[in-house]
Amino acid sequence: MNDTFTRFESPVGSVHAGHGDIHYHSYTTGGFAQQKAGRSPRRIADDQLRRLRQRFVAPKGMGEARRLLAEHSTVFLDGPQGSGRTAAARVLLYELPQGDGIFRELLPGDHEEVALTDTGLVGAGDRLLLDLAEADLAGWRTIRRDLSALRKAVQEQQAHLVVVMPKDGPLESDLQLYRAEISQPPAQEVFRRHLRLHHIPHEEYLQSAPAFAEFLDAQRSMEEIADFAERVRRARTAHRPPDDFAGWCEQARDARKTWRQEVARLVTDRREASQRALLFTTAMLHDAHADVIHHATALLLRTLKAPRDTVHLLEDKDLAERLTEISASAGPDGHVRFDKLGFDAAVRVHFWDHMPDLRARLSSWADRTAELVDRHLTADLRRELVRRLAEQYLRTGKWRELAALADEWSANPANPVRPAAAIHALSCGLESKQYGGNFRELILTWCRDKQLAGDLAGVLLRVCTEVIAPTHPDQAMVRLHHLARRERGATPALDALCDLVATSSRLRRRMLDRLTRHSSASTPDARLFLRVCDPAPLTDPGSSPRALMDENYVQGCVTTGWREVFFQLPQAHWHPYAKRWLHTASDAGNRRDLLLDLLVDATDRNGVHLAALYSVARAAEPTASGGSACGVATTDRLLQKISAAQGLRPTAASSRPAPPRGTTP
């Protein structure tokens, strides 16, 4: 079985042989396996939180929550369902000063997550979210027992914790001090904030809108209000009459209907294959340009092997007439939309639910449609097509089938659009509240055991760094570790792993533990250790009270790791890393002896390894950052430690003796 992935030197791209411009939208993989993710997980998480903050309207009680979090490092958020507790929790953590720590969600009960009482759970300056809004009272009772230990760790690490309480969840008297109750913010202000972010001028949405007032008559959750604002935006874009704010709100209100009966009647009345193909295509590519709709409809008919129409092209119905038959039309911008807002979603549901035998072919059509070369087929439209398809799989509980489809797209790197589609499909699964855990578990299995055919390695790398890591960095670290173990040649997964552990001292400690926890690490882990065990961050405390290197446990990991390096890898491989270690020792002040001791202890008094270490030190002298004299002093100090390890008398530094015994010069 081929269980490694290597560099692809020649990227494959689309060929454009017709007239007009070709718009290529970042789908080139360049060999996905050789690329690492473009942005750090910390940056992605902060960007997501920043966007949330932009559309957030502070509820009553938010000020008290901020005060408690600032003074006590912990706040328990309580409030009615739909009040936006989880969003408020994320905003509270985003508003904190950005230090060395990272944002992460705790997942109590997940078999991969350490217990809330584990001393290694909290990193220095971490911003922790414990979202228990959907927890049952039994689960909440179990978690409450561990909250005191968690709070203590948070305080010791100068971290911050926001706990979103479940509905009607009791709280012990000693924790009531840290409880803040929020209420739902003004619905109209939330609605207007979303409209502003949709770039709708205020002079438009300040007009009277009876449909919106009717919508607000019922108690609406923050999510429902956001959805309503999105539908208003879509109605405004469609330019359907009545084309004013009141009319957009009417259409947004009506779009809350399921339209199921209307769609069923339309499908019953339109029995020709060409009509139904156009209906489904318009639903899947809703708001696409008419050219895309036309070509994708023809492709669907070919995919379904429908008989060709023998009518002469000039005698056939034009696209405008055919769209009218399915209650759709092209707007002034040439983009096709149904006459009723929200009708597209109902059509997708109808075809998926009532024509199950077509599902496999519809998925194949979506794949081939994404590969079409058309200047109107943008990256966003391709992504939306995959999202709409994934939505149907997840809605009907077919998450395994969606994962298999992503696997199929990953395995065929002939067209760079397919790996991108696989990333979008897996992202939809990972972001699903119901099936996110299933996808994380599946991706763990793939990273560890699955044959990495085609561009699957690159796809897994992207979803680990860009989707999993921003909220669950520990789980992303484990998956990247498995990928990095299997690399040959290029090391994009190892690069991403090093970037991830660089965001948190806690993650670096955990990674060192993973690499050295067994008495005899594998050769791949010995190679990975050299990259992860970078002496510079290990000796830099940052904003923490002490550096990682000052911890006895980390020192043990370092010694174990270097021992495996010396005994498993050739000197040519570890030479540059040892040289960097010695350079760091030269600048480490009172930690110089510690760094040298760890290297010498790792040799287990093996003369060959001690001599090799000494030769590296001699070679490193001229390039020491403090000058060659500083390098010489470090070498002399190392020699004293080598002599002591071999039971020899310390030799005068000025004599510059031959290499340690048991070796050849």
Side-chain angles (χ1 to χ4, degrees), residues 158-211:
Q158 298 180 351
H160 291 85
L161 168 69
V162 179
V163 181
V164 179
M165 295 176 57
K167 180 183 179 183
D168 300 326
L171 195 64
E172 282 71 9
S173 57
D174 60 322
L175 296 178
Q176 286 287 348
L177 172 66
Y178 314 111
R179 175 178 170 271
E181 184 170 1
I182 64 172
S183 58
Q184 184 166 311
Q188 191 167 68
E189 177 57 28
V190 173
F191 179 63
R192 290 176 175 176
R193 175 68 61 86
H194 281 278
L195 294 183
R196 285 198 295 272
L197 290 175
H198 290 322
H199 306 292
I200 299 178
H202 71 278
E203 58 267 17
E204 294 183 0
Y205 61 70
L206 291 180
Q207 300 173 16
S208 174

Short mmCIF file of all heavy atoms in Angstrom, two decimals, residues 158-211:
data_model
loop_
_atom_site.label_atom_id
_atom_site.label_comp_id
_atom_site.label_asym_id
_atom_site.label_seq_id
_atom_site.Cartn_x
_atom_site.Cartn_y
_atom_site.Cartn_z
N GLN A 158 -3.14 32.58 33.89
CA GLN A 158 -3.56 33.91 33.45
C GLN A 158 -4.39 33.82 32.15
O GLN A 158 -4.24 34.63 31.24
CB GLN A 158 -2.34 34.82 33.26
CG GLN A 158 -1.56 35.04 34.54
CD GLN A 158 -0.34 35.93 34.35
OE1 GLN A 158 0.04 36.27 33.23
NE2 GLN A 158 0.27 36.33 35.45
N ALA A 159 -5.22 32.80 32.10
CA ALA A 159 -6.10 32.58 30.96
C ALA A 159 -7.49 33.13 31.28
O ALA A 159 -7.70 33.74 32.34
CB ALA A 159 -6.17 31.08 30.65
N HIS A 160 -8.43 32.92 30.37
CA HIS A 160 -9.81 33.37 30.58
C HIS A 160 -10.77 32.29 30.10
O HIS A 160 -10.51 31.62 29.09
CB HIS A 160 -10.09 34.68 29.82
CG HIS A 160 -9.35 35.86 30.39
ND1 HIS A 160 -8.05 36.15 30.04
CD2 HIS A 160 -9.73 36.81 31.30
CE1 HIS A 160 -7.65 37.23 30.69
NE2 HIS A 160 -8.65 37.66 31.45
N LEU A 161 -11.86 32.16 30.82
CA LEU A 161 -12.84 31.11 30.54
C LEU A 161 -14.24 31.71 30.54
O LEU A 161 -14.63 32.40 31.47
CB LEU A 161 -12.75 30.01 31.61
CG LEU A 161 -13.88 28.97 31.65
CD1 LEU A 161 -13.84 28.08 30.41
CD2 LEU A 161 -13.78 28.12 32.93
N VAL A 162 -15.00 31.40 29.47
CA VAL A 162 -16.42 31.76 29.41
C VAL A 162 -17.22 30.47 29.28
O VAL A 162 -16.97 29.67 28.37
CB VAL A 162 -16.73 32.70 28.24
CG1 VAL A 162 -18.23 33.02 28.20
CG2 VAL A 162 -15.93 33.98 28.34
N VAL A 163 -18.14 30.26 30.21
CA VAL A 163 -19.00 29.08 30.21
C VAL A 163 -20.41 29.50 29.82
O VAL A 163 -21.00 30.37 30.47
CB VAL A 163 -19.01 28.40 31.60
CG1 VAL A 163 -19.90 27.16 31.57
CG2 VAL A 163 -17.59 28.05 32.04
N VAL A 164 -20.93 28.91 28.76
CA VAL A 164 -22.32 29.15 28.37
C VAL A 164 -23.17 28.09 29.06
O VAL A 164 -23.04 26.90 28.79
CB VAL A 164 -22.49 29.07 26.84
CG1 VAL A 164 -23.95 29.31 26.47
CG2 VAL A 164 -21.59 30.10 26.16
N MET A 165 -24.03 28.53 29.96
CA MET A 165 -24.81 27.60 30.76
C MET A 165 -26.00 27.04 29.99
O MET A 165 -26.56 27.72 29.12
CB MET A 165 -25.31 28.31 32.03
CG MET A 165 -24.19 28.75 32.97
SD MET A 165 -24.83 29.69 34.38
CE MET A 165 -26.01 28.52 35.08
N PRO A 166 -26.41 25.82 30.30
CA PRO A 166 -27.61 25.27 29.67
C PRO A 166 -28.87 25.91 30.23
O PRO A 166 -28.84 26.56 31.28
CB PRO A 166 -27.53 23.78 30.02
CG PRO A 166 -26.77 23.75 31.31
CD PRO A 166 -25.77 24.88 31.21
N LYS A 167 -29.95 25.73 29.52
CA LYS A 167 -31.22 26.30 29.96
C LYS A 167 -31.60 25.72 31.31
O LYS A 167 -31.57 24.50 31.52
CB LYS A 167 -32.31 25.99 28.93
CG LYS A 167 -33.68 26.54 29.30
CD LYS A 167 -34.73 26.14 28.28
CE LYS A 167 -36.09 26.68 28.68
NZ LYS A 167 -37.15 26.23 27.73
N ASP A 168 -31.95 26.60 32.23
CA ASP A 168 -32.40 26.22 33.58
C ASP A 168 -31.33 25.42 34.34
O ASP A 168 -31.66 24.65 35.25
CB ASP A 168 -33.69 25.39 33.51
CG ASP A 168 -34.83 26.17 32.86
OD1 ASP A 168 -34.88 27.39 33.06
OD2 ASP A 168 -35.65 25.54 32.17
N GLY A 169 -30.07 25.60 33.99
CA GLY A 169 -29.01 24.87 34.68
C GLY A 169 -28.70 25.50 36.03
O GLY A 169 -28.45 26.70 36.11
N PRO A 170 -28.71 24.72 37.10
CA PRO A 170 -28.39 25.27 38.42
C PRO A 170 -26.89 25.53 38.54
O PRO A 170 -26.08 24.98 37.81
CB PRO A 170 -28.84 24.16 39.38
CG PRO A 170 -28.71 22.90 38.57
CD PRO A 170 -29.03 23.28 37.15
N LEU A 171 -26.53 26.39 39.48
CA LEU A 171 -25.13 26.73 39.71
C LEU A 171 -24.89 26.83 41.21
O LEU A 171 -25.69 27.41 41.94
CB LEU A 171 -24.80 28.07 39.03
CG LEU A 171 -23.32 28.42 38.87
CD1 LEU A 171 -22.63 27.41 37.95
CD2 LEU A 171 -23.18 29.82 38.28
N GLU A 172 -23.81 26.20 41.67
CA GLU A 172 -23.50 26.19 43.09
C GLU A 172 -23.35 27.61 43.63
O GLU A 172 -22.97 28.54 42.91
CB GLU A 172 -22.21 25.40 43.36
CG GLU A 172 -22.40 23.89 43.33
CD GLU A 172 -22.65 23.33 41.95
OE1 GLU A 172 -22.51 24.11 40.98
OE2 GLU A 172 -23.01 22.14 41.83
N SER A 173 -23.61 27.75 44.92
CA SER A 173 -23.60 29.08 45.53
C SER A 173 -22.23 29.75 45.42
O SER A 173 -22.15 30.97 45.24
CB SER A 173 -24.02 28.99 46.99
OG SER A 173 -23.16 28.09 47.70
N ASP A 174 -21.14 28.96 45.50
CA ASP A 174 -19.82 29.57 45.44
C ASP A 174 -19.45 30.03 44.04
O ASP A 174 -18.47 30.77 43.87
CB ASP A 174 -18.76 28.59 45.96
CG ASP A 174 -18.70 27.32 45.14
OD1 ASP A 174 -19.77 26.84 44.72
OD2 ASP A 174 -17.59 26.81 44.90
N LEU A 175 -20.23 29.59 43.04
CA LEU A 175 -19.97 30.03 41.66
C LEU A 175 -20.94 31.11 41.19
O LEU A 175 -20.76 31.68 40.12
CB LEU A 175 -20.05 28.83 40.70
CG LEU A 175 -18.99 27.73 40.91
CD1 LEU A 175 -19.23 26.58 39.94
CD2 LEU A 175 -17.59 28.28 40.75
N GLN A 176 -21.98 31.37 41.99
CA GLN A 176 -22.96 32.38 41.61
C GLN A 176 -22.32 33.76 41.45
O GLN A 176 -22.79 34.59 40.68
CB GLN A 176 -24.08 32.46 42.66
CG GLN A 176 -25.05 31.30 42.64
CD GLN A 176 -25.99 31.34 41.44
OE1 GLN A 176 -26.08 32.35 40.74
NE2 GLN A 176 -26.68 30.24 41.20
N LEU A 177 -21.22 33.97 42.15
CA LEU A 177 -20.52 35.24 42.09
C LEU A 177 -20.06 35.56 40.67
O LEU A 177 -19.93 36.73 40.30
CB LEU A 177 -19.31 35.21 43.04
CG LEU A 177 -18.34 36.38 42.99
CD1 LEU A 177 -19.03 37.65 43.47
CD2 LEU A 177 -17.10 36.09 43.84
N TYR A 178 -19.83 34.51 39.87
CA TYR A 178 -19.27 34.70 38.52
C TYR A 178 -20.33 34.56 37.43
O TYR A 178 -20.00 34.44 36.26
CB TYR A 178 -18.16 33.67 38.29
CG TYR A 178 -17.21 33.55 39.45
CD1 TYR A 178 -17.19 32.40 40.24
CD2 TYR A 178 -16.36 34.60 39.78
CE1 TYR A 178 -16.34 32.30 41.33
CE2 TYR A 178 -15.51 34.51 40.87
CZ TYR A 178 -15.50 33.36 41.63
OH TYR A 178 -14.65 33.27 42.71
N ARG A 179 -21.59 34.58 37.82
CA ARG A 179 -22.69 34.40 36.86
C ARG A 179 -23.18 35.74 36.36
O ARG A 179 -23.39 36.68 37.13
CB ARG A 179 -23.82 33.64 37.52
CG ARG A 179 -25.07 33.48 36.67
CD ARG A 179 -26.11 32.65 37.43
NE ARG A 179 -27.40 32.66 36.77
CZ ARG A 179 -28.35 33.56 36.99
NH1 ARG A 179 -28.13 34.54 37.86
NH2 ARG A 179 -29.50 33.50 36.35
N ALA A 180 -23.35 35.85 35.04
CA ALA A 180 -23.92 37.05 34.42
C ALA A 180 -25.09 36.62 33.55
O ALA A 180 -24.96 35.71 32.74
CB ALA A 180 -22.87 37.78 33.59
N GLU A 181 -26.20 37.27 33.74
CA GLU A 181 -27.39 36.95 32.94
C GLU A 181 -27.56 38.01 31.86
O GLU A 181 -27.56 39.20 32.14
CB GLU A 181 -28.63 36.88 33.81
CG GLU A 181 -29.87 36.45 33.04
CD GLU A 181 -31.05 36.14 33.95
OE1 GLU A 181 -30.91 36.30 35.18
OE2 GLU A 181 -32.11 35.75 33.41
N ILE A 182 -27.69 37.54 30.62
CA ILE A 182 -27.91 38.46 29.52
C ILE A 182 -29.32 38.26 28.99
O ILE A 182 -29.92 37.19 29.12
CB ILE A 182 -26.89 38.26 28.38
CG1 ILE A 182 -27.04 36.88 27.75
CG2 ILE A 182 -25.46 38.47 28.88
CD1 ILE A 182 -26.21 36.70 26.50
N SER A 183 -29.85 39.31 28.41
CA SER A 183 -31.16 39.24 27.77
C SER A 183 -30.98 39.52 26.29
O SER A 183 -29.93 40.01 25.85
CB SER A 183 -32.11 40.26 28.39
OG SER A 183 -31.58 41.57 28.27
N GLN A 184 -31.99 39.19 25.53
CA GLN A 184 -31.88 39.37 24.08
C GLN A 184 -31.76 40.85 23.73
O GLN A 184 -32.52 41.68 24.24
CB GLN A 184 -33.10 38.76 23.40
CG GLN A 184 -33.03 38.81 21.88
CD GLN A 184 -34.07 37.90 21.26
OE1 GLN A 184 -34.20 36.74 21.62
NE2 GLN A 184 -34.83 38.44 20.32
N PRO A 185 -30.82 41.23 22.88
CA PRO A 185 -30.69 42.63 22.49
C PRO A 185 -31.89 43.07 21.65
O PRO A 185 -32.66 42.22 21.16
CB PRO A 185 -29.40 42.65 21.67
CG PRO A 185 -29.25 41.26 21.17
CD PRO A 185 -29.82 40.38 22.22
N PRO A 186 -32.10 44.36 21.48
CA PRO A 186 -33.24 44.85 20.68
C PRO A 186 -33.23 44.24 19.29
O PRO A 186 -32.25 44.37 18.55
CB PRO A 186 -33.02 46.36 20.65
CG PRO A 186 -32.18 46.66 21.84
CD PRO A 186 -31.29 45.47 22.02
N ALA A 187 -34.31 43.57 18.93
CA ALA A 187 -34.37 42.84 17.66
C ALA A 187 -34.17 43.78 16.47
O ALA A 187 -33.49 43.43 15.50
CB ALA A 187 -35.70 42.11 17.55
N GLN A 188 -34.78 44.97 16.52
CA GLN A 188 -34.66 45.88 15.39
C GLN A 188 -33.22 46.34 15.19
O GLN A 188 -32.74 46.46 14.06
CB GLN A 188 -35.58 47.08 15.59
CG GLN A 188 -35.73 47.93 14.33
CD GLN A 188 -36.87 48.92 14.45
OE1 GLN A 188 -36.81 49.84 15.24
NE2 GLN A 188 -37.93 48.72 13.66
N GLU A 189 -32.49 46.57 16.29
CA GLU A 189 -31.10 46.98 16.18
C GLU A 189 -30.24 45.86 15.60
O GLU A 189 -29.33 46.09 14.79
CB GLU A 189 -30.56 47.42 17.54
CG GLU A 189 -29.09 47.82 17.54
CD GLU A 189 -28.79 48.94 16.56
OE1 GLU A 189 -29.68 49.76 16.27
OE2 GLU A 189 -27.64 48.98 16.06
N VAL A 190 -30.52 44.62 16.01
CA VAL A 190 -29.80 43.47 15.45
C VAL A 190 -30.07 43.37 13.95
O VAL A 190 -29.14 43.17 13.15
CB VAL A 190 -30.23 42.17 16.15
CG1 VAL A 190 -29.61 40.95 15.47
CG2 VAL A 190 -29.86 42.21 17.62
N PHE A 191 -31.32 43.54 13.57
CA PHE A 191 -31.71 43.47 12.16
C PHE A 191 -30.98 44.55 11.35
O PHE A 191 -30.40 44.27 10.30
CB PHE A 191 -33.22 43.64 12.08
CG PHE A 191 -33.78 43.63 10.68
CD1 PHE A 191 -33.67 42.50 9.87
CD2 PHE A 191 -34.43 44.75 10.17
CE1 PHE A 191 -34.20 42.49 8.59
CE2 PHE A 191 -34.96 44.75 8.90
CZ PHE A 191 -34.84 43.61 8.10
N ARG A 192 -30.97 45.76 11.86
CA ARG A 192 -30.33 46.86 11.13
C ARG A 192 -28.82 46.68 11.06
O ARG A 192 -28.19 47.06 10.07
CB ARG A 192 -30.70 48.19 11.78
CG ARG A 192 -32.16 48.57 11.57
CD ARG A 192 -32.52 49.85 12.29
NE ARG A 192 -33.90 50.26 11.99
CZ ARG A 192 -34.51 51.30 12.53
NH1 ARG A 192 -33.87 52.04 13.45
NH2 ARG A 192 -35.75 51.61 12.20
N ARG A 193 -28.23 46.12 12.11
CA ARG A 193 -26.79 45.88 12.07
C ARG A 193 -26.45 44.91 10.93
O ARG A 193 -25.48 45.11 10.19
CB ARG A 193 -26.33 45.30 13.40
CG ARG A 193 -24.85 44.90 13.46
CD ARG A 193 -23.93 46.10 13.38
NE ARG A 193 -24.14 47.01 14.49
CZ ARG A 193 -23.55 46.91 15.68
NH1 ARG A 193 -22.68 45.94 15.91
NH2 ARG A 193 -23.79 47.79 16.62
N HIS A 194 -27.24 43.89 10.76
CA HIS A 194 -27.01 42.93 9.67
C HIS A 194 -27.21 43.61 8.31
O HIS A 194 -26.45 43.35 7.37
CB HIS A 194 -27.93 41.72 9.81
CG HIS A 194 -27.47 40.73 10.83
ND1 HIS A 194 -26.52 39.77 10.55
CD2 HIS A 194 -27.82 40.54 12.12
CE1 HIS A 194 -26.30 39.03 11.62
NE2 HIS A 194 -27.09 39.48 12.59
N LEU A 195 -28.22 44.44 8.20
CA LEU A 195 -28.45 45.12 6.93
C LEU A 195 -27.29 46.04 6.58
O LEU A 195 -26.89 46.15 5.41
CB LEU A 195 -29.76 45.92 6.99
CG LEU A 195 -31.05 45.10 7.12
CD1 LEU A 195 -32.26 46.04 7.10
CD2 LEU A 195 -31.17 44.07 6.00
N ARG A 196 -26.75 46.73 7.58
CA ARG A 196 -25.59 47.59 7.32
C ARG A 196 -24.41 46.78 6.82
O ARG A 196 -23.69 47.20 5.91
CB ARG A 196 -25.21 48.37 8.59
CG ARG A 196 -26.16 49.50 8.93
CD ARG A 196 -25.53 50.48 9.90
NE ARG A 196 -25.27 49.87 11.20
CZ ARG A 196 -26.16 49.84 12.20
NH1 ARG A 196 -27.37 50.39 12.04
NH2 ARG A 196 -25.85 49.30 13.36
N LEU A 197 -24.21 45.61 7.40
CA LEU A 197 -23.12 44.76 6.95
C LEU A 197 -23.37 44.20 5.56
O LEU A 197 -22.43 43.80 4.87
CB LEU A 197 -22.90 43.61 7.95
CG LEU A 197 -22.33 44.03 9.30
CD1 LEU A 197 -22.28 42.85 10.26
CD2 LEU A 197 -20.94 44.63 9.13
N HIS A 198 -24.64 44.17 5.15
CA HIS A 198 -24.99 43.78 3.77
C HIS A 198 -24.92 44.99 2.83
O HIS A 198 -25.32 44.88 1.67
CB HIS A 198 -26.40 43.18 3.72
CG HIS A 198 -26.51 41.84 4.38
ND1 HIS A 198 -25.53 40.88 4.29
CD2 HIS A 198 -27.51 41.30 5.14
CE1 HIS A 198 -25.91 39.81 4.96
NE2 HIS A 198 -27.10 40.03 5.49
N HIS A 199 -24.43 46.12 3.34
CA HIS A 199 -24.23 47.34 2.54
C HIS A 199 -25.54 47.90 2.00
O HIS A 199 -25.60 48.45 0.90
CB HIS A 199 -23.26 47.07 1.38
CG HIS A 199 -21.95 46.48 1.82
ND1 HIS A 199 -21.04 47.18 2.56
CD2 HIS A 199 -21.41 45.23 1.64
CE1 HIS A 199 -19.99 46.41 2.81
NE2 HIS A 199 -20.19 45.23 2.28
N ILE A 200 -26.60 47.77 2.79
CA ILE A 200 -27.88 48.37 2.44
C ILE A 200 -27.94 49.75 3.07
O ILE A 200 -27.81 49.88 4.30
CB ILE A 200 -29.06 47.50 2.92
CG1 ILE A 200 -28.99 46.12 2.24
CG2 ILE A 200 -30.39 48.18 2.62
CD1 ILE A 200 -30.08 45.17 2.69
N PRO A 201 -28.13 50.80 2.29
CA PRO A 201 -28.13 52.17 2.83
C PRO A 201 -29.23 52.35 3.88
O PRO A 201 -30.33 51.82 3.75
CB PRO A 201 -28.39 53.05 1.60
CG PRO A 201 -27.96 52.20 0.44
CD PRO A 201 -28.29 50.79 0.82
N HIS A 202 -28.91 53.14 4.90
CA HIS A 202 -29.86 53.30 5.99
C HIS A 202 -31.13 54.00 5.55
O HIS A 202 -32.20 53.78 6.11
CB HIS A 202 -29.21 54.07 7.16
CG HIS A 202 -28.97 55.52 6.87
ND1 HIS A 202 -27.89 55.99 6.16
CD2 HIS A 202 -29.71 56.62 7.19
CE1 HIS A 202 -27.95 57.29 6.07
NE2 HIS A 202 -29.04 57.72 6.67
N GLU A 203 -31.05 54.86 4.51
CA GLU A 203 -32.26 55.54 4.07
C GLU A 203 -33.27 54.56 3.48
O GLU A 203 -34.46 54.88 3.37
CB GLU A 203 -31.93 56.64 3.05
CG GLU A 203 -31.21 56.15 1.81
CD GLU A 203 -29.70 56.25 1.94
OE1 GLU A 203 -29.22 56.37 3.09
OE2 GLU A 203 -29.01 56.19 0.90
N GLU A 204 -32.80 53.37 3.11
CA GLU A 204 -33.72 52.35 2.60
C GLU A 204 -34.38 51.59 3.74
O GLU A 204 -35.60 51.42 3.78
CB GLU A 204 -32.98 51.39 1.66
CG GLU A 204 -32.47 52.04 0.38
CD GLU A 204 -31.80 51.04 -0.55
OE1 GLU A 204 -31.74 49.85 -0.19
OE2 GLU A 204 -31.34 51.45 -1.64
N TYR A 205 -33.57 51.11 4.72
CA TYR A 205 -34.16 50.25 5.74
C TYR A 205 -34.83 51.03 6.87
O TYR A 205 -35.42 50.43 7.77
CB TYR A 205 -33.15 49.24 6.29
CG TYR A 205 -31.93 49.81 6.98
CD1 TYR A 205 -32.02 50.44 8.22
CD2 TYR A 205 -30.67 49.68 6.41
CE1 TYR A 205 -30.90 50.94 8.85
CE2 TYR A 205 -29.53 50.16 7.03
CZ TYR A 205 -29.66 50.78 8.26
OH TYR A 205 -28.54 51.26 8.90
N LEU A 206 -34.77 52.35 6.85
CA LEU A 206 -35.49 53.13 7.85
C LEU A 206 -36.95 53.35 7.45
O LEU A 206 -37.74 53.91 8.22
CB LEU A 206 -34.80 54.47 8.09
CG LEU A 206 -33.44 54.41 8.79
CD1 LEU A 206 -32.86 55.80 8.96
CD2 LEU A 206 -33.58 53.72 10.15
N GLN A 207 -37.31 52.91 6.26
CA GLN A 207 -38.70 53.03 5.81
C GLN A 207 -39.59 52.06 6.58
O GLN A 207 -39.13 51.07 7.14
CB GLN A 207 -38.79 52.74 4.31
CG GLN A 207 -37.96 53.67 3.43
CD GLN A 207 -37.96 53.22 1.98
OE1 GLN A 207 -38.79 52.41 1.58
NE2 GLN A 207 -37.02 53.74 1.20
N SER A 208 -40.88 52.34 6.56
CA SER A 208 -41.84 51.47 7.24
C SER A 208 -41.95 50.15 6.50
O SER A 208 -41.93 50.10 5.27
CB SER A 208 -43.20 52.16 7.31
OG SER A 208 -44.17 51.29 7.82
N ALA A 209 -42.07 49.05 7.27
CA ALA A 209 -42.18 47.72 6.68
C ALA A 209 -43.11 46.87 7.54
O ALA A 209 -42.68 46.25 8.52
CB ALA A 209 -40.80 47.07 6.56
N PRO A 210 -44.41 46.84 7.21
CA PRO A 210 -45.36 46.05 8.02
C PRO A 210 -44.98 44.58 8.13
O PRO A 210 -45.21 43.96 9.17
CB PRO A 210 -46.68 46.23 7.25
CG PRO A 210 -46.50 47.53 6.51
CD PRO A 210 -45.07 47.59 6.13
N ALA A 211 -44.39 44.00 7.08
CA ALA A 211 -44.04 42.58 7.13
C ALA A 211 -42.97 42.31 8.18
O ALA A 211 -42.98 41.27 8.84
CB ALA A 211 -43.56 42.11 5.76
#
